[in-house]
């Protein structure tokens, strides 16, 4: 039986995770689930803990829920640690999205200018967590959901001695579900080979019962205007010509790069009326926490589907179960490249289809990416490496170069403005600067 610790337990996503553990209890018997949060998240943590207890009781499984603000108490002898926290909360997210928009830049909270600051706030906290893990649960696997999940993995794998760290995103799992629907086939018959970076991943091939059907999938996407979108992203369609030319399945986030002008104008339109994704999410969250307090509720409520994290629990719990059971199945995770993508550094974090073993993920060889993907992937990786450098040095000039090289910024002039505003706005969460 297993002891699991979830850091950021007060997240409104936690019932999703609980559901995942309940569904898979037979193959992954969780003895103790510890939900950890901080003082600011105490009230949310209490509500979530009570709901989790009701869910477990209804399911009739002997999983014990613990809840604490003392991370070290929780981490002792953990088998798996999952992280899903947001330094500064949704207010900080709102700044990550609004400040770039106020300078006419896309307000993307994971890979854009705002995402860079989410990384700068997160990396020191993750490093502290890993110091505790080293002492209290040195053999645990850390499954990180905290965004920017790829960039955080890049920092950990290159600047700490902690190797057992895996970044997970629900997007690749959602893409496989969507492709299976397009093919009208059970998901177990379908495999999408994916490679790239987090929120910059491409479906490079699709197999149905062992036969490559990528072209059929792209053709159906083209003619039925199916875009494999997610709830948090504006659903602008891909043109049939672009899909055919790309010859790979783009992910939802590719719109920010390949349909940049249209995405920006839609976002600016909303921003004029004060609307950002953060403001939408705040409203959804308020409503969710009201529902979570209903003592008759003992399931994950339907309204959680309004968040972008659909299938989060399937992605996270499948990963944990495959490690625990040494399943050696294939899942898409953020892990050390080790040559899987030939054009990226050996030690970098990449998001690739990997075999999941008890020793961790073994990434599958991909070689070079298609030319249309290669450049933008390398650009994003350069930005990630520069952001990690800035997080460690705390130097203005390092942050400046990272900001200007962000694929959604690309301007020294605007980069400086957005950097200065974000530095000021997030000052209290940036101890290194
Ligand atoms: P949220 O703002 O509700 O934060 C979750 C919790 O983290 C809060 O209860 C907060 O109090 C807590 N927290 C903040 N700092 C902490 C710290 N230092 N230690 C412990 N807890 C801390 O955020 P959310 O919208 O629920 O999202 C949670 C995280 O999950 C975010 O980082 C988000 O980017 C990430 N996420 C990732 C994916 C993915 O695909 N990887 C999908 C959805 C969400
Ligand atoms: C998707 C992405 C996540 C991101 C989320 C945002 O699930 O994979 O990494 O955090 O969307 O959803 P939200 O509802 O918070 O806007
Ligand atoms: Mn994600
Ligand atoms: Mn709108």
């Amino acid at each position: 039986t297993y002891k699991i610790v979830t850091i950021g337990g007060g997240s409104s996503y936690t019932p999703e995770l609980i559901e995942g553990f309940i569904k898979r209890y037979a193959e992954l018997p969780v003895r103790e689930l510890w939900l950890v949060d901080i003082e600011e998240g105490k009230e949310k943590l209490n509500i979530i803990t009570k709901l989790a207890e009701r869910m477990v009781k209804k399911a009739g499984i002997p999983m014990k829920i613990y809840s604490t603000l003392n991370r070290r108490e929780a981490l002792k002898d953990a088998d798996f640690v999952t992280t899903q926290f947001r330094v500064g909360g949704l207010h900080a997210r709102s700044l990550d999205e609004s400040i770039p928009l106020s300078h006419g830049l896309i307000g993307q909270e994971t890979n854009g200018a705002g995402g860079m600051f989410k990384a700068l706030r997160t990396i020191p906290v993750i490093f502290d967590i890993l110091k505790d893990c080293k002492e209290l649960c040195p053999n645990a696997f850390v499954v990180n959901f905290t965004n920017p999940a790829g960039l955080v993995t890049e920092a950990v794998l290159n600047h700490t001695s902690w190797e057992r760290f895996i970044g997970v995103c629900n997007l690749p799992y959602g893409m496989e579900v969507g492709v299976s629907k397009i093919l009208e086939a059970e998901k177990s018959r379908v495999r999408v080979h994916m490679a790239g970076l987090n929120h910059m991943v491409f479906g490079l091939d699709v197999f149905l019962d062992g036969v490559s059907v990528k072209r059929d999938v792209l053709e159906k996407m083209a003619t039925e205007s199916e875009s494999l979108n997610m709830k948090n992203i504006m659903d602008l369609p891909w043109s049939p010509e672009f899909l055919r030319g790309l010859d790979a399945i783009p992910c939802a986030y590719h719109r920010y790069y390949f349909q940049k002008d249209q995405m920006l104008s839609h976002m600016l339109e909303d921003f004029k009326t004060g609307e950002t994704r953060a403001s939408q999410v705040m409203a959804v969250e308020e409503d969710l926490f009201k529902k979570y307090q209903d003592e008759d509720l003992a399931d994950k409520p339907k309204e959680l589907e309004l968040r972008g994290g659909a299938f989060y629990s399937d992605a996270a719990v499948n990963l944990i179960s495959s490690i625990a059971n040494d399943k050696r199945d294939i899942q898409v995770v953020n892990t050390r490249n080790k040559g899987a993508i030939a054009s990226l550094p050996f030690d970098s974090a990449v998001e690739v289809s990997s075999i999941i073993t008890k020793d961790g993920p073994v990434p599958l060889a991909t070689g070079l990416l298609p030319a249309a993907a290669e450049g933008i992937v390398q650009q994003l990786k350069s930005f990630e490496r520069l952001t990690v450098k800035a997080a460690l040095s705390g130097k203005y000039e390092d942050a400046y170069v990272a900001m200007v090289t962000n694929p959604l910024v690309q301007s020294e002039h605007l980069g400086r403005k957005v950097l200065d505003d974000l530095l000021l706005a997030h000052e209290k969460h940036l101890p290194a600067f």
Side-chain angles (χ1 to χ4, degrees):
T1 63
Y2 299 95
K3 173 176 179 179
I4 312 241
V5 178
T6 296
I7 298 179
S11 164
S12 60
Y13 280 116
T14 301
E16 167 90 26
L17 191 63
I18 308 284
E19 187 191 70
F21 287 129
I22 290 174
K23 277 202 294 200
R24 291 171 190 77
Y25 187 79
E27 61 175 83
L28 186 75
V30 176
R31 171 184 79 244
E32 295 176 22
L33 175 65
W34 287 69
L35 302 176
V36 182
D37 213 287
I38 52 173
E39 190 58 40
E40 291 91 314
K42 195 170 160 181
E43 213 175 308
K44 290 202 311 180
L45 181 67
N46 285 338
I47 295 169
I48 294 281
T49 304
K50 284 184 196 140
L51 172 58
E53 281 165 349
R54 293 194 299 272
M55 288 174 74
V56 164
K57 190 170 170 209
K58 182 178 173 190
I61 54 166
M63 177 167 114
K64 218 164 163 336
I65 309 285
Y66 295 83
S67 130
T68 180
L69 303 184
N70 183 341
R71 181 170 82 206
R72 290 178 58 84
E73 174 196 23
L75 286 174
K76 182 104 185 70
D77 299 325
D79 298 298
F80 293 92
V81 178
T82 74
T83 53
Q84 47 167 50
F85 60 89
R86 186 190 301 278
V87 179
L90 285 171
H91 172 69
R93 173 177 179 171
S94 148
L95 298 169
D96 286 340
E97 294 177 343
S98 307
I99 290 172
L101 284 167
S102 74
H103 294 291
L105 294 169
I106 283 181
Q108 221 301 304
E109 58 124 8
T110 64
N111 285 356
M116 172 177 158
F117 271 76
K118 192 171 190 313
L120 295 179
R121 301 195 300 278
T122 302
I123 289 168
V125 177
I126 284 278
F127 282 17
D128 273 350
I129 292 172
L130 295 179
K131 264 186 220 146
D132 286 346
C133 289
K134 197 113 211 170
E135 192 184 325
L136 298 163
C137 55
N139 296 323
F141 270 97
V142 177
V143 173
N144 176 60
F145 192 61
T146 304
N147 275 318
L151 211 166
V152 168
T153 308
E154 176 75 23
V156 169
L157 295 182
N158 290 289
H159 299 280
T160 73
S161 58
W162 188 273
E163 191 62 29
R164 297 156 81 87
F165 192 90
I166 308 169
V168 19
C169 175
N170 59 317
L171 181 149
Y173 191 95
M175 277 174 77
E176 278 199 336
V177 171
V179 167
S180 306
K181 277 202 193 122
I182 289 175
L183 293 167
E184 293 172 45
E186 283 283 316
K187 188 171 174 294
S188 59
R189 292 172 57 199
V190 176
R191 185 169 77 78
V192 183
H193 180 78
M194 286 190 233
L197 303 179
N198 183 230
H199 296 179
M200 177 56 85
V201 73
F202 293 84
L204 298 180
D205 210 343
V206 179
F207 297 95
L208 173 64
D209 299 331
V211 177
S212 174
V213 292
K214 176 184 70 177
R215 294 267 162 82
D216 304 331
V217 171
L218 283 168
E219 209 42 46
K220 282 208 173 158
M221 285 177 73
T223 50
E224 294 165 19
S225 70
E226 170 56 64
S227 63
L228 305 174
N229 198 34
M230 322 182 75
K231 280 279 156 57
N232 56 311
I233 299 177
M234 200 148 342
D235 197 5
L236 298 182
W238 295 109
S239 75
E241 296 76 13
F242 182 72
L243 289 172
R244 289 180 194 128
L246 187 64
D247 200 28
I249 303 171
C251 78
Y253 282 77
H254 280 122
R255 280 186 190 76
Y256 292 116
Y257 307 91
F258 299 143
Q259 303 195 46
K260 193 172 174 180
D261 47 353
Q262 271 175 297
M263 287 299 275
L264 178 60
S265 62
H266 280 276
M267 292 173 99
L268 285 173
E269 202 57 31
D270 284 347
F271 186 56
K272 267 192 226 150
T273 67
E275 195 184 324
T276 56
R277 180 63 188 163
S279 73
Q280 294 171 354
V281 165
M282 283 175 189
V284 171
E285 183 179 82
E286 197 183 314
D287 185 44
L288 277 174
F289 273 92
K290 266 186 210 140
K291 298 223 155 59
Y292 290 173
Q293 289 177 70
D294 176 354
E295 289 188 8
D296 295 325
L297 181 78
D299 298 287
K300 177 185 86 176
K302 184 99 187 124
E303 291 80 357
L304 190 49
E305 288 169 19
L306 295 170
R307 297 294 305 270
F311 308 113
Y312 158 42
S313 63
D314 289 310
V317 184
N318 281 347
L319 174 63
I320 293 173
S321 179
S322 288
I323 295 170
N325 296 303
D326 198 22
K327 276 196 194 166
R328 306 185 183 209
D329 58 342
I330 296 173
Q331 299 181 28
V332 182
V333 292
N334 289 267
T335 190
R336 197 187 291 285
N337 184 23
K338 296 181 180 162
I341 299 178
S343 52
L344 291 180
F346 186 92
D347 284 323
S348 271
V350 292
E351 187 167 281
V352 283
S353 295
S354 304
I355 302 170
I356 310 300
T357 77
K358 65 176 183 311
D359 329 312
V362 181
L364 293 176
T366 291
L368 292 173
L369 299 172
E374 191 79 83
I376 190 74
V377 165
Q378 289 201 21
Q379 175 82 28
L380 186 62
K381 178 51 73 185
S382 296
F383 156 75
E384 288 185 1
R385 294 168 70 193
L386 291 164
T387 300
V388 173
K389 185 179 179 205
L392 298 176
S393 75
K395 280 191 189 157
Y396 183 86
E397 63 211 51
D398 290 344
Y400 188 28
V401 169
M403 182 59 84
V404 174
T405 46
N406 182 284
L408 298 175
V409 178
Q410 300 287 297
S411 156
E412 209 196 317
H413 170 69
L414 288 177
R416 184 188 290 276
K417 287 188 178 179
V418 81
L419 175 67
D420 289 350
D421 282 5
L422 283 164
L423 277 170
L424 195 63
H426 289 306
E427 201 175 13
K428 69 167 186 277
H429 296 298
L430 300 171
F433 283 87

